[in-house]
Each structure stands twice: as structure tokens, then as C-alpha cells.
């Protein structure tokens, strides 16, 4: 699993060969040491989990205590449709079983409970948090908890409705390098918190903002269980 | 979710996927989840370990099994009540004829080579079935839609063909690492471990005139009872020392070039024998790296280390794999072969002042490996299904070509564009005749068939007619007499054929399987430029719809018309310039990955492997002459 060794193992090199050629061995090493928290196991999140597990991250912790429903099955390819398989297990548990198979080198586990009530020491274990199927209030709360920590945790929310979707990113104070043809430039970005981002009064927004932005704000204030909202644009 | 009409169209459709690899796995999953109920899938490959980082329907335990079948089984577990038919076969097989294609409402490609793409394109045109094309390389992806009569076909815009290098660049005047790799792989490795009966340019020098072939053969053969260590050093000294000295003696070659330096084993490795402990890797593979304690494939070895690997690998082949000698072709998954080629290429590179590369990089170049990640394939698969649904609904106003970018352009990572209209002078989907300039008294029918009909026109089973006379055809049910006539015809020059082909002749060429035909007007020409037109034949008449030049011209993207060598390859070398045309025998449609300095993100090099991309348009052409439907 990478661990503390300087180099990738032979197994990792063989498995990850094609993607190491994309982002390099160093990035692969860092991926193998990273820990993810994922909340809300719907379709889009299932896709995301597949991708990061295949990429070879250190660990993925899943949170979703809901039981299986027909709706949950429709866009989530991690859950086998057989009735018996699903009995008694939460969405997170079912997805966990499937994800483990995609890459035995990644530690996939389940966390139960309402994470928005957990303390900073829980979130500190992670390098990135992805929230979905989560109310606005909870998103705000978790984002605040993360921002209070000295460790910088990458914070993402993702929601998909019908054929539209929205991703929110908060990398706090983010330093990175940009390679131009001639040189490498150091850059820095300062991300607003979740609360700051959604508190911008609508009158203060740029003129050309996608209508989606407003629609998502509007339906976010409802519960997370609105399945089929159709937006006509 | 989809509208009722969409759902109904999806449910009742019958679709074909060609390719069950990177794009294929994602696509099959997405199709099944989107409600498709009758899916057919063709793939001739079996599963390899390096597939598992993105072809998520496969597991370690599936390595060696058919991709199409395992993919089908995996998705049936998700949707047990749909129909998935898997064919472990080559899409070019005769069972996949026009009637087969006609059964489908839409065809979706997830292929990795130009040849198969052209083949499917022609069959879809013949069958009148819409085709959704796609490709990915690393973070880049592209989806395009081809509907006969409404949009371009796949071949309306010429695609770059695999990169080739002039012989002398490889044998005498390499200037890039890839030249050293080609030398090590196609010349040295082939000479030492490949079929002895094959022609080999290894001892060809720039100004060679009738060297005694016997001499060269003796040199590379291991003498009876010759000590393996001694044999290795002898070969080393011959190719890196003696051959270089000989090349240096021709002053003319080096007038405008840096001279190489000869390298002798005694100077690099003074000790007598290399360590021999014949370490076998855990999985039973023999490896020089393991034997020498070199652990990291990302390390760049010193000249001494490369030399040790060279000698050790050679030794291991002879001692541990003697049966393989004389039968091998280079295989990127053969660890020992990759080690040998890396070492040999690096030593040659040292000689010529070219930067060495790690085994990891060298393997990528030698194996034409295409870098790939799961996410791009997932995105492209989604886009394919979106286009496929539009096709099912005949929603032609909304057909889109979409580019998936690594960095946003115009603030977008997914850049849609309207498809172009068909190219009126496309010889595949329109019926424009082509022109061929050729010396009709010098070129034989065989040259025409091999270089023009098969390679340029992409036909597999051609039928060539002059008026009502058949000059040549391929088929199972031919008369023995006819077969004899056709064989004889191949060896004749064009003007001496039973139905003479001269200036002004019109030939009609057909491939019955592809149901594709075209006409070629012959124009006689006496002389051809040996460097620029080495085939002695120039095919033209197929003009590009937009005359823009690609500004980010990737290396290898030179071929718009027929035989022009990419500009950078026309160096001032003396001597003959034949093209080593199977040099980068790419199963890829793009030039090989030129990892010069071990850089990973090379936007300008188009590569291939399992999942490919052909970026035939640059972004500027999107903002300019878009011709909407």
C-alpha cells in the first residue's frame, strides 16, 4: 500500500503503470498515502469512489446509513440488484463490499452515525472530504469544523439532479505550481468557505451566472431527498 | 431522468460496441444503467494486469481471459435481465459484414487503432448505421458522431498515420532517444534473438556499397562453445565500438553533426565477468535487473550500469531461455527484452550524446504505450451515451462533437462543437476519384497493391479492375487459373499488365467486405524524389475541408497527403533513404510517445495503447470555420 517506503512496490508499478505515465510516480506515492471520507452513496458518488479506488489512494471511508431502496439502485452500479444480497445492509456497507474488489490495495471501510456531530479529531484523519446527500446546514457545519483544524483538508460537495450537477470546492489556502513552456511558476489561491460562498447576495453576483446556481441554492434548502426535479433551461 | 420517448427508444434499441477496454468497460456499464437492453460487444483482446487500473469490470483473477466475455458477465450481474452478446473476435472478421451491421441502431467505438476504426467506418457507411467514435489519451478525450449524409465520416479528415523513420537515421545518425530505441528493438534485438532469415539493416552504413554479408553474419552468431560472457562483450564491442569507428571514417556524414564516440566494454567495465547469480523473480521471470540488484525502474542507469544490464540480459537469454533465441519479436511485457532494449538504447544514446532514459520511460517508447486513467474514459463513455440517445431519437440538430480537455479552454473542460458536413471530396463517403502519379513502366502491381491499396486506402480484400478486366483480387472461392494469373500480374509492371495501365487509365478498386469502392486516375511520371517520395507513387486528390495547419504540430502528425516524410526527418544525410515502414508498428493511430526527458504530460505527443485519441482538429479550427449541419 505504499506506506512509508520511498518507492512504489513492484505490484503497484505493474498495476498503476498506465496512470503513472500520466501523473508520475511521485504523485502516485502521495495518492497511496491519502485518506478520503465520502458521505452519501448515490450514483455520482459511486462513480467517484470507483475512480479513486482504481487510482490507488490509501483509504476510503464511506458514510451512508440508509437502507437500500429502488431509487438507490437505479444509478448506483456498486450495488448488486439481488434481494438477498442487500438485506439488512446499509448503502455504505453494500458499496464497501463492491469497492474493495476494484483494488485490494485500498482500505475501504464504513463509518456509521451522523458525521456532522463528530469532532475535529475525527475529520483530522482525512486529507479530503466529499459530501453528498447532505443538507445545507450540515455541509456548512462540516466545512467549518474542517477549517478550524491546522491540517488542511480538501473539502468537496457534489450533487446531481436529473441531467445537471454541481460541485463545490474549498481548498482553503492552496499553493501549487504551474508549468509554462519556459518556466515553472508558483501560484496561490484563496478559497472562500462554504458559508461565505453561498452567502454572497444575489445582487452582488456577476451578470453571467448560470441559472443552475440559483436553482441549486433553491433546492438545497429543501431536504436532500427530492429525487426528480426537472430544470427547464 | 429521460423523457418517456427517450426511455422507449432506448429500451427498444439494439446497439453494438466495438472494444471492451478502457472506454468499453465504462461504456457497457453506462449503457446498462441507462436502460439499454440489447447490447452486442466485440473485442479480440485478453485481459492484462496493466488494464486493471481502469478497466474496472476485470479482476486480477481474470488476467488472460476474454475482455468481451468477462465484461458481459460483470454487467449482467448488475442488470440480469438484459441481453448482452459478447464476441471474442476481431471486428475485421468476415462474420461482421454489412448485414451484421445493418441490424443495429447505432454503433459505438472504443477502439485503439486506426485500421479498425477505418474498417468500422466503412461498414457503417455501407450499412447506413450511425457511428459514435471516441478516443482517450491520459486526460484528453474526444467523442464524435458520424451519420451518413449528414455529417463527416471518420475518414473525411485525414488522420495521422504511424510515425516512421528513415533507415539512415536509425542505423547511422540518431539524434533522439526514440531513434536509439528503434535501433535497439528492431535491429539489434531482432538480429540477436529474432528470426535469422529476416533482412536486417544492422550493418548498413550511410555510404555502403555491397558489404560482404557473410562477414556480418559471422559477427553476431555465437561461436561454438564460446563463453557467454565473452560473446556478450564481443557483440557489445562490435556494435558500440567497431561500428561507430567505421561510421566515423565517413567524414561527410559528420560535417554538420556531432560525432559519436565509440565505446568499448573494457573501458566501461574493466572487470572480467559480470556477477552471475541468475536471480529469478518471484513469478518465475528471469530478470537482469533482479540479478544485478537494480530495483527501481524509474532510475536512469549510468553507462556502467546499462552495460552490465546489457551483458547480463544477453547472458540470461542464452542460459535461461535458449529455446526463445531465433524466435522472438519484441514484446513490451517481456521484462528481459525490455531490459535489454533499454540498456542497448541507452548505451547507443551515450555514444551519440543523447540523454539516457529509465527503463520505465524506455518501455513506454519501445512499447508504444499510451498513458491512461479511469476518469477520462468514464467521462467519454457518458458523452458517447448522450450522443447515442440523440441518434436514436434522430435529434440531428443537437448532434455534437465533444472534446474533453485537461485544462479549460474558454472556461470549459468539455468543449462541444457541431459536427462538420461531409467532405465532398472524401473518397470514402463521397465518390471522388483519386489520382495516382506513378512510373507505369517501373512500378509493379504488387507495389500498388501493398503500398497504396492496402496501406493508404485501408482495404483488406481488394478487387482491382481496369474497365471490365479484373487485374487482381483476393478471395476464397477463386479459380486456380485466376489465382495464377493474379500472382503473375503482381510481378508485372503496370504498363505490361494484360490490360495495360498507362497515363489516363482509370482503375476501380473495391473491398467487398467493407462494401467500399473508389476510382483512381493514373498519371504517368518519370522521376520521383527518393527522399520525399520513397514509394515512387503519389496519391492525391483528397483535399481537406479546412486548409488550416495544425499549429501545435505534434511530432509525427505530418501525413496529410500521401508519402511526404515528416519535415523533421529530412536530414542532410547522404545515401539511400528508405523508410523503415514497420518501425513504430503502432497498433495505434498516432505517432509513438516520444518521452525524451522522462516528462509525463506531453500534450504535443499523441500516443496510444489501449485507449487512444486522435486529435485531428486543433482548438482554433473550432472557433473559425464551423460549418453546422
Amino acid at each position: 500500500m505504499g506506506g512509508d517506503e520511498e518507492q512504489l512496490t513492484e505490484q503497484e508499478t505493474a498495476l498503476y503503470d498506465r496512470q503513472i505515465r500520466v501523473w508520475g510516480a511521485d504523485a502516485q506515492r502521495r495518492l497511496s498515502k491519502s485518506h478520503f471520507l465520502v458521505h452519501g452513496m448515490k450514483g455520482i458518488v459511486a462513480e467517484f469512489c470507483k475512480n479513486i479506488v482504481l487510482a490507488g489512494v490509501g483509504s476510503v471511508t464511506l458514510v451512508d446509513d440508509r437502507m437500500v431502496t429502488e431509487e438507490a439502485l437505479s444509478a448506483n452500479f456498486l450495488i448488486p440488484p439481488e434481494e438477498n444480497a442487500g438485506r439488512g445492509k446499509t448503502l455504505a456497507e453494500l458499496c464497501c463490499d463492491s469497492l474493495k474488489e476494484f483494488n485490494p490495495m485500498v482500505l475501504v471501510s464504513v463509518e456509521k452515525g451522523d458525521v456532522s456531530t463528530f469532532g475535529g479529531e475525527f475529520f483530522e484523519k482525512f486529507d479530503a472530504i466529499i459530501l453528498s446527500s447532505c443538507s445545507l446546514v450540515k455541509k456548512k457545519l462540516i466545512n467549518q469544523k474542517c477549517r478550524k483544524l491546522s491540517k488542511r483538508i480538501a473539502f468537496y460537495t457534489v450533487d446531481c439532479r436529473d441531467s445537471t450537477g454541481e460541485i463545490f470546492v474549498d481548498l482553503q489556502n492552496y499553493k501549487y505550481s504551474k508549468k509554462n513552456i519556459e518556466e515553472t511558476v508558483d501560484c496561490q489561491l484563496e478559497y472562500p468557505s462554504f458559508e461565505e460562498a453561498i452567502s454572497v447576495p444575489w445582487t452582488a453576483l456577476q451578470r453571467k451566472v448560470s441559472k443552475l446556481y440559483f436553482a441549486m441554492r433553491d433546492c438545497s434548502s429543501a431536504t436532500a431527498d427530492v429525487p426528480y426535479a426537472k430544470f427547464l433551461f | 431522468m429521460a423523457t418517456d420517448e427517450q426511455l422507449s427508444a432506448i429500451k427498444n434499441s439494439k446497439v453494438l460496441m466495438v472494444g471492451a477496454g478502457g472506454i468499453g468497460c465504462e461504456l457497457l456499464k453506462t449503457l446498462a444503467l441507462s436502460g439499454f437492453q440489447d447490447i452486442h460487444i466485440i473485442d479480440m483482446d485478453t485481459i492484462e494486469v496493466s488494464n486493471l487500473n481502469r478497466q474496472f469490470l476485470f479482476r486480477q483473477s481474470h488476467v488472460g481471459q476474454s475482455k468481451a466475455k468477462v465484461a458481459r458477465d460483470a454487467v449482467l450481474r448488475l442488470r440480469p435481465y438484459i441481453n448482452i452478446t459478447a464476441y471474442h473476435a476481431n471486428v475485421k472478421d468476415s462474420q461482421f459484414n454489412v448485414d451484421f451491421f445493418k441490424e443495429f441502431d447505432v454503433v459505438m467505438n472504443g477502439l485503439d487503432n486506426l485500421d479498425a476504426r477505418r474498417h468500422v467506418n466503412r461498414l457503417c457507411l455501407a450499412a447506413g448505421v450511425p457511428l459514435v467514435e471516441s478516443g482517450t489519451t491520459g486526460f484528453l478525450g474526444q467523442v464524435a458522431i458520424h451519420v451518413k449524409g449528414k455529417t463527416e465520416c471518420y475518414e473525411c479528415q485525414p488522420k495521422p498515420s504511424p510515425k516512421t523513420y528513415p533507415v539512415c537515421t536509425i542505423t547511422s545518425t540518431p539524434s533522439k532517444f526514440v531513434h536509439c530505441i528503434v535501433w535497439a528493438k528492431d535491429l539489434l534485438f531482432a538480429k540477436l534473438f529474432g528470426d535469422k532469415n529476416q533482412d536486417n539493416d544492422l550493418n548498413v552504413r550511410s555510404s555502403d556499397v555491397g558489404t560482404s554479408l557473410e562477414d556480418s553474419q559471422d559477427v553476431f552468431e555465437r561461436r561454438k562453445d564460446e563463453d557467454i560472457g565473452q560473446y556478450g562483450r564481443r557483440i557489445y564491442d562490435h556494435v558500440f565500438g567497431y561500428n561507430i569507428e567505421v561510421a566515423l571514417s565517413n567524414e561527410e556524414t559528420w560535417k554538420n553533426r556531432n560525432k559519436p564516440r565509440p565505446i568499448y566494454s573494457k573501458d566501461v567495465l574493466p572487470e572480467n565477468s559480470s556477477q552471475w547469480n541468475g536471480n529469478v523473480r518471484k513469478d518465475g521471470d528471469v530478470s537482469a535487473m533482479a540479478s544485478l540488484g537494480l530495483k527501481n525502474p524509474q532510475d536512469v542507469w549510468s553507462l556502467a550500469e546499462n552495460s552490465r544490464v546489457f551483458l547480463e540480459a544477453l547472458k540470461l537469454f542464452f542460459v535461461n531461455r535458449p529455446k526463445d533465441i531465433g524466435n522472438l519479436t519484441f514484446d513490451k511485457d517481456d521484462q528481459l527484452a525490455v531490459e535489454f532494449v533499454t540498456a542497448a538504447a541507452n548505451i547507443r544514446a551515450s555514444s551519440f550524446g543523447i540523454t539516457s532514459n529509465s527503463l520505465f520511460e524506455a518501455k513506454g517508447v519501445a512499447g508504444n504505450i499510451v498513458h491512461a486513467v479511469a476518469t477520462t474514459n468514464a467521462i467519454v463513455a457518458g458523452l458517447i451515451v448522450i450522443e447515442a440517445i440523440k441518434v436514436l431519437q434522430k435529434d440531428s440538430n443537437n448532434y455534437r462533437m465533444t472534446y474533453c480537455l485537461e485544462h479549460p479552454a474558454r472556461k470549459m473542460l468539455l468543449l462541444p462543437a457541431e459536427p462538420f458536413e461531409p467532405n465532398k471530396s472524401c473518397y470514402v463517403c463521397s465518390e471522388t476519384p483519386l489520382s495516382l502519379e506513378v512510373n507505369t513502366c517501373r512500378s509493379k502491381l504488387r507495389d500498388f497493391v501493398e503500398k497504396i491499396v492496402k496501406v493508404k486506402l485501408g482495404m483488406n480484400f481488394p478487387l482491382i479492375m481496369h474497365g471490365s478486366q479484373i487485374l487482381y483480387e483476393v478471395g476464397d472461392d477463386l479459380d486456380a487459373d485466376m489465382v495464377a494469373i493474379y500472382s503473375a500480374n503482381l510481378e508485372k509492371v503496370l504498363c505490361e499488365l494484360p490490360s495495360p495501365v498507362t497515363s489516363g487509365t482509370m482503375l476501380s478498386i473495391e473491398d467487398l467486405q467493407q462494401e467500399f469502392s473508389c476510382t483512381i486516375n493514373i498519371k504517368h511520371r518519370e522521376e520521383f524524389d527518393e527522399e520525399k517520395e520513397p514509394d515512387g507513387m503519389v496519391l492525391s486528390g483528397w483535399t481537406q475541408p479546412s486548409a488550416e495547419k495544425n499549429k501545435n504540430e505534434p511530432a509525427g502528425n505530418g501525413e496529410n497527403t500521401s508519402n511526404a516524410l515528416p519535415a523533421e526527418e529530412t536530414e542532410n544525410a547522404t545515401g539511400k533513404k528508405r523508410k523503415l515502414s514497420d518501425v513504430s508498428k503502432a497498433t495505434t493511430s498516432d505517432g509513438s510517445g516520444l518521452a525524451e526527458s522522462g516528462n509525463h504530460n506531453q500534450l504535443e505527443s499523441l500516443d496510444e495503447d489501449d485507449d487512444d485519441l486522435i486529435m485531428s482538429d486543433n482548438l482554433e479550427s473550432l472557433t473559425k470555420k464551423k460549418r453546422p449541419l
Side-chain angles (χ1 to χ4, degrees):
Chain A
M1 251 198 336
D4 292 324
E5 288 128 41
E6 272 310 313
Q7 294 168 13
L8 297 166
T9 65
E10 220 177 272
Q11 194 187 2
E12 286 170 318
T13 310
L15 181 63
Y16 301 136
D17 183 270
R18 301 298 187 264
Q19 67 199 38
I20 292 173
R21 293 176 191 279
V22 175
W23 51 57
D26 187 54
Q28 188 63 50
R29 269 188 291 273
R30 281 184 272 133
L31 273 173
S32 74
K33 297 178 194 170
S34 59
H35 306 285
F36 284 69
L37 177 68
V38 180
H39 178 284
M41 298 309 300
K42 284 181 137 180
I44 179 67
V45 177
E47 283 284 338
F48 168 75
C49 287
K50 158 186 56 90
N51 294 334
I52 55 161
V53 168
L54 287 174
V57 298
S59 75
V60 181
T61 306
L62 307 175
V63 182
D64 199 326
D65 293 337
R66 293 175 293 184
M67 303 307 282
V68 180
T69 61
E70 178 112 6
E71 189 234 323
L73 282 179
S74 67
N76 188 329
F77 64 93
L78 294 176
I79 306 176
E82 302 110 45
E83 283 214 25
N84 293 329
R87 205 152 281 176
K89 285 191 170 178
T90 65
L91 279 179
E93 284 167 334
L94 289 168
C95 293
C96 181
D97 294 338
S98 299
L99 282 171
K100 280 178 171 159
E101 286 187 18
F102 288 166
N103 189 345
M105 292 195 274
V106 177
L107 201 67
V108 188
S109 64
V110 171
E111 185 71 47
K112 294 200 171 196
D114 181 355
V115 288
S116 66
T117 63
F118 292 0
E121 67 286 351
F122 170 75
F123 294 105
E124 220 167 18
K125 294 187 278 185
F126 304 103
D127 300 289
I129 293 177
I130 293 87
L131 299 181
S132 186
S133 304
C134 192
S135 71
L136 206 78
V137 170
K138 286 192 175 165
K139 287 177 183 172
K140 238 194 295 186
L141 197 56
I142 296 172
N143 182 243
Q144 282 164 351
K145 291 189 186 191
C146 290
R147 284 187 141 242
K148 285 207 182 96
L149 298 167
S150 56
K151 176 183 185 184
R152 201 269 313 260
I153 300 179
F155 178 89
Y156 300 84
T157 73
V158 59
D159 289 287
C160 243
R161 289 176 205 278
D162 194 53
S163 57
T164 55
E166 182 190 68
I167 300 176
F168 173 82
V169 181
D170 177 11
L171 303 179
Q172 296 179 43
N173 187 335
Y174 182 53
K175 294 190 174 71
Y176 64 102
S177 316
K178 208 168 167 181
K179 238 190 227 173
N180 296 325
I181 302 174
E182 318 265 296
E183 39 161 17
T184 303
V185 180
D186 286 330
C187 309
Q188 187 169 330
L189 283 176
E190 195 70 55
Y191 284 75
S193 71
F194 186 81
E195 176 157 24
E196 286 166 356
I198 61 169
S199 310
V200 177
W202 290 7
T203 49
L205 290 170
Q206 298 169 345
R207 293 190 62 211
K208 281 189 177 175
V209 173
S210 165
K211 291 170 195 161
L212 265 178
Y213 176 79
F214 302 107
M216 296 301 277
R217 300 283 71 71
D218 205 50
C219 65
S220 287
S221 56
T223 67
D225 292 330
V226 178
Y228 300 124
K230 229 179 149 119
F231 295 101
L232 301 164
F233 289 111
Chain B
M1 287 282 113
T3 63
D4 286 336
E5 298 98 62
Q6 280 173 332
L7 285 172
S8 172
I10 292 169
K11 205 168 82 165
N12 298 318
S13 67
K14 183 172 174 179
V15 303
L16 174 66
M17 286 177 46
V18 189
I23 295 176
C25 284
E26 294 284 350
L27 183 57
L28 187 60
K29 172 256 299 170
T30 306
L31 285 171
L33 286 177
S34 301
F36 285 80
Q37 297 190 344
D38 190 358
I39 307 169
H40 292 239
I41 175 164
I42 304 174
D43 193 308
M44 59 188 248
D45 281 340
T46 54
I47 297 162
E48 297 175 13
V49 169
S50 61
N51 298 151
L52 302 177
N53 80 321
R54 62 204 184 282
Q55 298 174 27
F56 70 98
L57 298 175
F58 311 143
R59 304 281 170 264
Q60 182 73 41
S61 56
H62 293 135
V63 171
Q65 295 180 36
S66 152
K67 287 189 181 185
K69 292 184 181 169
V70 177
R72 173 199 58 201
D73 293 342
V75 174
L76 279 177
R77 260 177 257 124
L78 276 180
R79 291 286 183 270
Y81 304 114
I82 66 175
N83 287 321
I84 305 178
T85 312
Y87 305 87
H88 182 197
N90 189 333
V91 70
K92 285 156 78 169
D93 284 354
S94 52
Q95 61 172 313
F96 306 120
N97 55 17
V98 178
D99 288 334
F100 175 84
F101 274 79
K102 273 190 181 153
E103 305 245 323
F104 298 102
D105 298 300
V106 65
V107 174
M108 294 163 284
N109 273 351
L111 285 166
D112 63 1
N113 67 92
L114 182 66
D115 213 41
R117 284 178 160 129
R118 290 170 84 180
H119 185 86
V120 173
N121 180 52
R122 290 165 188 199
L123 282 161
C124 287
L125 286 169
V129 178
L131 171 65
V132 183
E133 251 293 355
S134 66
T136 62
T137 301
F139 291 126
L140 302 175
Q142 184 177 355
V143 173
I145 179 163
H146 303 295
V147 180
K148 184 175 182 177
K150 286 211 156 69
T151 73
E152 289 191 317
C153 82
Y154 177 71
E155 295 177 83
C156 277
Q157 298 205 24
K159 301 292 184 284
S161 38
K163 178 114 177 139
T164 60
Y165 304 95
V167 177
C168 7
T169 308
I170 304 300
T171 59
S172 319
T173 53
S175 56
K176 297 184 177 180
F177 186 70
V178 60
H179 303 153
C180 302
I181 286 283
V182 171
W183 175 89
K185 182 177 79 158
D186 293 331
L187 294 183
L188 187 61
F189 183 87
K191 187 73 170 180
L192 288 171
F193 307 112
D195 184 358
K196 306 278 185 232
N197 295 321
Q198 281 270 356
D199 281 341
N200 192 299
D201 290 314
L202 193 54
N203 277 339
V204 168
R205 300 186 297 267
S206 300
S207 60
D208 91 318
V209 177
T211 357
S212 160
L213 271 177
E214 276 168 26
D215 288 343
S216 0
Q217 268 169 6
D218 279 350
V219 166
F220 288 98
E221 283 288 324
R222 183 185 178 191
R223 295 175 193 139
K224 194 170 183 310
D225 296 332
E226 181 175 16
D227 169 62
I228 187 63
Q230 197 178 327
Y231 172 62
R233 283 176 178 256
R234 186 164 65 74
I235 298 294
Y236 184 109
D237 290 341
H238 182 81
V239 297
F240 300 123
Y242 175 75
N243 277 356
I244 303 293
E245 304 234 19
V246 169
L248 281 170
S249 66
N250 183 349
E251 290 288 329
E252 190 61 34
T253 316
W254 310 107
K255 248 192 185 165
N256 298 320
R257 290 194 182 88
N258 291 330
K259 291 183 177 180
R261 57 175 185 117
I263 302 179
Y264 289 97
S265 56
K266 63 173 170 28
D267 301 322
V268 181
L269 298 175
E271 71 266 23
N272 215 359
S273 305
S274 39
Q275 309 101 295
W276 165 241
N277 51 10
N279 259 4
V280 176
R281 279 145 55 97
K282 273 172 285 193
D283 53 5
D285 275 348
V286 171
S287 157
M289 277 175 71
S291 178
L292 295 168
L294 293 167
K295 296 230 160 79
N296 191 351
Q298 306 257 347
D299 284 337
V300 179
W301 301 324
S302 65
L303 179 59
E305 285 167 332
N306 277 306
S307 304
R308 280 192 209 106
V309 173
F310 179 91
L311 293 170
E312 186 68 15
L314 187 92
K315 179 188 282 186
L316 288 172
F317 267 117
F318 274 87
V319 174
N320 286 55
R321 296 170 55 178
K323 293 213 170 76
D324 284 341
I325 299 186
N327 298 320
L328 287 178
T329 42
F330 178 80
D331 176 0
K332 69 181 188 298
D333 296 312
D334 180 343
Q335 175 69 14
L336 196 58
V338 173
E339 291 171 352
F340 179 82
V341 166
T342 302
N346 277 334
I347 300 167
R348 184 169 176 83
S350 299
S351 185
F352 283 85
I354 301 169
T355 315
S356 292
N357 274 292
S358 65
L359 180 107
F360 180 77
E361 292 295 345
K363 178 177 167 178
V365 177
N368 288 316
I369 295 180
V370 173
H371 46 295
V373 290
T375 46
T376 319
N377 291 331
I379 294 170
V380 162
L383 292 168
I384 294 172
V385 175
I386 289 175
E387 290 307 309
I389 294 175
K390 291 177 193 169
V391 162
L392 294 177
Q393 298 201 279
K394 301 199 180 0
D395 185 9
S396 52
N397 289 330
N398 287 318
Y399 290 161
R400 291 289 177 269
M401 195 157 72
T402 311
Y403 297 92
C404 178
L405 307 172
E406 184 176 352
H407 302 292
R410 297 185 283 168
K411 297 203 173 175
M412 293 189 279
L413 281 174
L414 294 181
L415 209 57
E418 294 184 48
F420 291 108
E421 288 171 347
N423 178 2
K424 293 200 173 55
S425 58
C426 172
Y427 71 93
V428 179
C429 70
S430 313
E431 273 162 22
T432 319
L434 294 166
S435 290
L436 182 73
E437 288 168 84
V438 60
N439 186 321
T440 57
C441 303
R442 225 175 22 215
S443 293
K444 297 184 188 166
L445 185 63
R446 171 184 292 286
D447 302 321
F448 176 70
V449 170
E450 292 304 317
K451 293 180 185 160
I452 301 295
V453 177
K454 287 190 178 168
V455 175
K456 292 266 180 267
L457 298 183
M459 294 195 192
N460 300 317
F461 300 109
L463 170 78
I464 303 174
M465 292 182 65
H466 179 189
S468 57
Q469 271 251 17
I470 303 180
L471 293 174
Y472 179 76
E473 68 176 314
V474 181
D476 291 327
D477 51 355
L478 297 176
D479 236 5
D481 294 340
M482 299 311 293
V483 174
I485 295 178
Y486 297 144
S487 294
N489 282 351
L490 282 179
E491 302 311 319
K492 299 196 171 125
V493 295
L494 296 174
C495 61
E496 287 172 10
L497 286 164
S499 183
V501 172
T502 55
S503 215
T505 301
M506 258 180 48
L507 290 176
S508 84
I509 329 269
E510 265 185 65
D511 181 319
L512 291 174
Q513 196 210 358
Q514 295 173 355
E515 287 203 12
F516 167 54
S517 65
C518 75
T519 330
I520 301 189
N521 293 324
I522 304 291
K523 291 185 186 152
H524 176 87
R525 199 171 109 192
E526 272 301 315
E527 292 303 327
F528 288 84
D529 185 324
E530 274 192 25
E531 285 189 20
K532 295 195 184 125
E533 302 159 330
D535 286 339
M537 292 180 284
V538 178
L539 189 68
S540 57
W542 172 25
T543 53
Q544 269 183 285
S546 56
E548 291 147 311
K549 284 277 167 201
N550 238 332
K551 291 199 183 109
N552 311 337
E553 189 95 283
N557 208 355
E559 297 247 351
N560 287 334
T561 51
S562 46
N563 298 336
L565 279 172
E568 63 187 54
E569 298 307 307
T570 349
E571 295 154 337
N572 292 324
T574 56
K576 300 176 198 158
K577 268 204 187 284
R578 274 184 296 118
K579 272 197 289 193
L580 271 173
S581 52
D582 64 333
V583 151
S584 347
K585 197 181 299 177
T587 45
T588 72
S589 34
D590 305 301
S592 53
L594 305 178
E596 289 281 75
S597 51
N599 205 336
H600 313 284
N601 293 330
Q602 297 210 352
L603 177 60
E604 64 274 15
S605 69
L606 307 174
D607 324 329
E608 290 202 35
D609 169 54
D610 294 324
D611 312 299
D612 297 68
L613 168 77
I614 305 164
M615 299 282 270
S616 57
D617 293 320
N618 63 0
L619 291 176
E620 274 123 284
S621 71
L622 287 177
T623 54
K624 288 178 190 163
K625 301 174 196 166
K626 262 192 322 196
R627 278 181 282 123
L629 301 171

